[in-house]
Amino acid sequence: MGACGAALLALLLAARAAPPAEAAVGVNWGTLSSHRVPPPVVVDLLRANRIGKVKLFDADPAVLRALAGSGLQVMVGVTNAELAAVAGSPAAADAWVAQNVSRYVGRGGVDIR
């Protein structure tokens, strides 16, 4: 992964089954809140409302665990604090992906539980 690609890092965790065609709606999911809803509850709400795509602003492990195996497509963002390191080094970008994303993805990009 090049530095430019790392700066624009957006990873798609492919779902076991493609979301329905009508599930073209996506949402941003931020985790900074005074009344945080448990991630599994949020995932259930997203699926119940036929939302097929989610953008995360950071790689919160609890959120990624809840999304793994959900069938939702996920884009994971790099925080501003991490951006310089990830953008400046392909090795740092690879390490970030290994630490924050790869553990939630199975073979062939299929998400796992």
Side-chain angles (χ1 to χ4, degrees):
M1 176 183 300
C4 182
L8 302 173
L9 183 61
L11 298 172
L12 183 62
L13 300 176
R16 282 187 205 160
E22 65 271 7
V25 175
V27 297
N28 295 332
W29 180 355
T31 57
L32 297 178
S33 171
S34 60
H35 296 88
R36 189 169 175 187
V37 178
V41 172
V42 175
V43 170
D44 289 344
L45 289 169
L46 294 171
R47 293 178 72 197
N49 286 286
R50 303 176 84 173
I51 294 171
K53 299 178 182 185
V54 178
K55 179 172 72 174
L56 304 176
F57 295 100
D58 61 10
D60 183 306
V63 171
L64 290 168
R65 275 191 303 274
L67 286 164
S70 69
L72 297 170
Q73 293 180 6
V74 181
M75 182 172 65
V76 182
V78 176
T79 65
N80 289 340
E82 300 166 320
L83 188 56
V86 170
S89 164
D94 288 344
W96 187 92
V97 170
Q99 173 67 31
N100 296 291
V101 178
S102 296
R103 68 179 66 191
Y104 305 102
V105 182
R107 278 191 194 164
V110 176
D111 57 351
I112 57 175
R113 269 240 183 248

